Amino acid sequence: MKKLKKVLALGLAGAMALSLAACGGSETSEATSEAAGDSTATTEAADGEVVTLKWVMVGNGMPSNYDAWLEQINPYLEEKIGVNLDMEVVGWGDWDQRRNVIVNTAGEYDILFTNVNTYTNDVGVGAFYDITDLLPEVAPDLWASIPADYWDACRVGGQIYAVPAMKDSSITNFVVWDKGAMDAAGYDGSTMTDLTDPALTEALGSQELKDYLTSNGYPDTAWPLNNSGATYLTFEYDTMGAGLIAMGVKYNDGEGKVVSIYEQPEIMEYLDLFHQWYQDGIINADANVKPEDNAYKPAAVAQGWPSAAITTWGPNMGVEEAVAYQWGPTIVSNDSVRGSLSCISANCQYPEKALQLLELVNTDTYVRDLLYYGVQGDNWDYTDDTKQWVHKNNADWTMAGYTQGSFFTVTPTDDFDFNQYDEVAVQNENAEPSVLLGFSMDVTPVSDQLNQCISIAESYKSELLTGSCGGSDPETMVAQMVEELNAAGFQEVIAEAQAQVDAFLAENPASATAETAE
């Protein structure tokens, strides 16, 4: 198995007490207009002033104690790098619309959270600053703290436009159970080898499980879904950054064949299984139109790490004990690395300062703790002067930690006597790389066809991936979708993708041969 390069030790960012004038994404200049194409074109600020950077991210809305938080973090940032922060935390339900407005109108921001769903397209419209040349010069600690493979995963057209968060950057999926529900069903989750195991279906549909759920005040749905559906069913396919959920390359296919994902036999088997579960009431009847996830799930698939059952999934469900069993391989791909990205606006007047801020967020533990946990003395405190553990006083902080930066500079909490992120580091280190790690499709030659295909595939997503299938069945619905896709130019998109994949593998033969040898 091809190993990822080891993550270099995280170093503290050097104190750069530079005082600069305030900047904002909407304030453009001659240097700003050049910045998208020339990463050396930046604006110099007057001495003795401080840059204010606006950072827009998704979460549970603005924190109620936001002003108190600014009073803690801004003086520290001023001293270190001459920066103040202005945050906009957008609620989950409003995020897609707000993010689109910000990007499409060149809205006022300096740093924006994004991910695999939109990154390539946003780069294509010139939304983000090319940080390729700036990284080793302006943010050397940040550059060294992230593996070269991960930087490569962020490249579009050979250039880097995002800082990836070092988190569970590889994908490991687990079947997570409320242990009480699993025991009531008489099921041994540790024996599961696949979702298609008949014993799993029998347990999920058992009367004993339904009795357990109803007696504890829960709906009797064993595998609840929302309208996003079971997107994890296709996680072994690399979608090449094209944004089309119906097209990809199997992560370990050394030949790099671009395929119609939903027509693949193993995917169709999963779709048939979920359709059966939907018909049997194992999946909720409103799954295809339900906007939000259930907090409590008797059983589900979640991406994470083994101890997340103890630290996250169980507590979030409010159950006495949750257990998790790995399903499928651990994979690192462009898609997985792009799960959390911070991008600097192409209109940012001071991209160097924005990059220095991202370096500090990813390498300075105190800055990371303030972003991750909130106001010190209110939301959290260090347990002693060694600052090795954090005690959370409440769960009121509304910023989403995964959107900000590295997990590995966050101080662990004293809820447990271990650091759960050690498990994440091991998973990342031992992940199997996609044969296309570092490859992003140039969608320009087929952009019109691709956009139509994306729209069509998304219109079928909820029905297919919840098992509802619009009263039909998966085979019929997939055939109908593919017919529409082909009419919109799907085969042209696949042919273009294949030509680019072939060229990439010809230039990077180690990617193909390492996987084929296994």
Side-chain angles (χ1 to χ4, degrees):
M1 179 177 70
K2 176 185 173 185
K3 296 281 188 180
L4 292 179
K5 299 177 178 69
K6 283 193 174 287
V7 183
L8 297 179
L10 293 174
L12 293 177
M16 296 165 280
L18 304 176
S19 298
L20 302 173
C23 82
S26 63
E27 299 179 16
T28 57
S29 64
E30 181 179 353
T32 304
S33 65
E34 295 173 3
D38 179 5
S39 62
T40 63
T42 57
T43 303
E44 293 296 329
D47 291 337
E49 294 184 287
V50 175
V51 169
T52 296
L53 297 174
K54 182 171 183 179
W55 190 349
V56 183
M57 63 175 64
V58 68
N60 286 320
M62 291 297 292
S64 59
N65 54 356
Y66 173 67
D67 289 341
W69 180 77
L70 287 182
E71 290 176 4
Q72 288 186 348
I73 196 168
N74 276 345
Y76 188 85
L77 295 177
E78 271 190 44
E79 179 183 353
K80 289 287 185 179
I81 57 171
V83 161
N84 276 183
L85 265 178
D86 173 19
M87 305 295 294
E88 180 181 349
V89 185
V90 182
W92 300 101
D94 299 324
W95 173 248
D96 287 341
Q97 181 177 357
R98 175 63 177 147
R99 193 209 67 83
N100 287 337
V101 168
I102 290 171
V103 170
N104 292 329
T105 61
E108 295 185 9
Y109 74 94
D110 294 288
I111 301 172
L112 180 71
F113 165 77
T114 191
N115 62 19
V116 61
N117 297 331
T118 53
Y119 175 58
T120 302
N121 286 338
D122 290 346
V123 169
V125 300
F128 301 140
Y129 195 92
D130 180 353
I131 60 174
T132 312
D133 295 332
L134 283 183
L135 274 165
E137 177 185 350
V138 173
D141 290 339
L142 176 63
W143 176 248
S145 73
I146 295 175
D149 292 320
Y150 286 25
W151 287 120
D152 287 346
C154 296
R155 292 183 186 273
V156 178
Q159 304 301 106
I160 301 171
Y161 298 87
V163 175
M166 283 293 293
K167 47 188 273 299
D168 49 335
S169 302
S170 54
I171 298 176
T172 309
N173 281 318
F174 293 83
V175 176
V176 183
W177 281 89
D178 166 7
K179 190 173 187 301
M182 187 180 74
D183 291 345
Y187 184 65
D188 181 1
S190 66
T191 65
M192 191 205 73
T193 58
D194 195 2
L195 296 183
T196 58
D197 181 355
L200 175 60
T201 296
E202 181 180 354
L204 293 172
S206 68
Q207 187 61 48
E208 290 81 3
L209 178 54
K210 291 182 180 180
D211 292 344
Y212 171 86
L213 297 174
T214 55
S215 66
N216 284 278
Y218 299 122
D220 66 357
T221 303
W223 196 280
L225 293 172
N226 68 2
N227 59 11
S228 292
T231 54
Y232 45 79
L233 295 180
T234 62
F235 88 101
E236 293 189 27
Y237 285 84
D238 191 319
T239 57
M240 303 170 288
L244 178 55
I245 59 175
M247 177 185 74
V249 173
K250 191 76 173 285
Y251 82 98
N252 59 355
D253 179 7
E255 295 182 357
K257 184 177 181 181
V258 182
V259 299
S260 170
I261 293 175
Y262 291 118
E263 292 184 282
Q264 301 311 298
E266 80 276 16
I267 301 302
M268 185 60 71
E269 186 177 9
Y270 287 140
L271 296 178
D272 285 337
L273 174 69
F274 274 57
H275 183 52
Q276 176 194 332
W277 286 2
Y278 182 83
Q279 290 180 314
D280 293 345
I282 292 172
I283 293 173
N284 45 307
D286 64 345
N288 62 307
V289 294
K290 190 174 186 296
E292 302 294 337
D293 249 346
N294 284 10
Y296 173 78
K297 297 180 180 181
V301 168
Q303 180 187 337
W305 50 94
S307 67
I310 304 169
T311 64
T312 306
W313 296 321
N316 286 351
M317 287 199 293
V319 302
E320 184 175 337
E321 184 178 1
V323 290
Y325 305 99
Q326 185 169 339
W327 166 62
T330 296
I331 301 167
V332 62
S333 66
N334 289 4
D335 290 358
S336 69
V337 173
R338 294 176 180 183
S340 177
L341 302 171
S342 295
C343 298
I344 298 172
S345 169
N347 291 329
C348 178
Q349 286 184 289
Y350 307 106
E352 293 94 340
K353 304 311 295 179
L355 196 55
Q356 287 172 7
L357 172 64
L358 291 174
E359 178 175 54
L360 212 59
V361 168
N362 282 275
T363 60
D364 185 300
T365 296
Y366 183 59
V367 173
R368 191 69 189 94
D369 288 345
L370 287 171
L371 278 159
Y372 196 82
Y373 295 121
V375 177
Q376 185 180 8
D378 180 358
N379 303 113
W380 64 280
D381 286 291
Y382 291 116
T383 57
D384 57 38
D385 291 341
T386 66
K387 299 182 179 181
Q388 293 181 340
W389 300 95
V390 157
H391 178 75
K392 290 180 66 176
N393 301 322
N394 54 61
D396 298 338
W397 188 243
T398 56
M399 292 190 193
Y402 86 94
T403 66
Q404 303 162 351
S406 173
F407 279 3
F408 306 119
T409 45
V410 175
T411 302
T413 64
D414 63 351
D415 305 81
F416 311 98
D417 59 358
F418 62 90
N419 186 348
Q420 62 179 321
Y421 299 130
D422 291 342
E423 292 182 348
V424 180
V426 170
Q427 284 185 172
N428 287 347
E429 178 63 27
N430 294 313
E432 299 178 55
S434 165
V435 294
L436 297 186
L437 184 63
F439 168 80
S440 287
M441 181 181 174
D442 176 7
V443 302
T444 308
V446 287
S447 59
D448 290 341
Q449 300 95 315
L450 179 62
N451 288 334
Q452 291 183 61
C453 288
I454 289 173
S455 206
I456 291 166
E458 291 293 330
S459 72
Y460 281 91
K461 176 183 171 183
S462 291
E463 298 284 354
L464 274 176
L465 295 182
T466 60
S468 58
C469 295
S472 180
D473 60 80
E475 289 83 358
T476 301
M477 179 160 273
V478 168
Q480 180 180 330
M481 178 182 69
V482 171
E483 182 178 356
E484 290 185 33
L485 287 170
N486 286 338
F490 188 41
Q491 295 306 317
E492 296 171 46
V493 176
I494 288 178
E496 177 62 33
Q498 189 67 70
Q500 293 184 28
V501 167
D502 290 345
F504 172 80
L505 292 179
E507 294 175 3
N508 301 272
S511 295
T513 56
E515 295 301 327
T516 305
E518 289 185 18

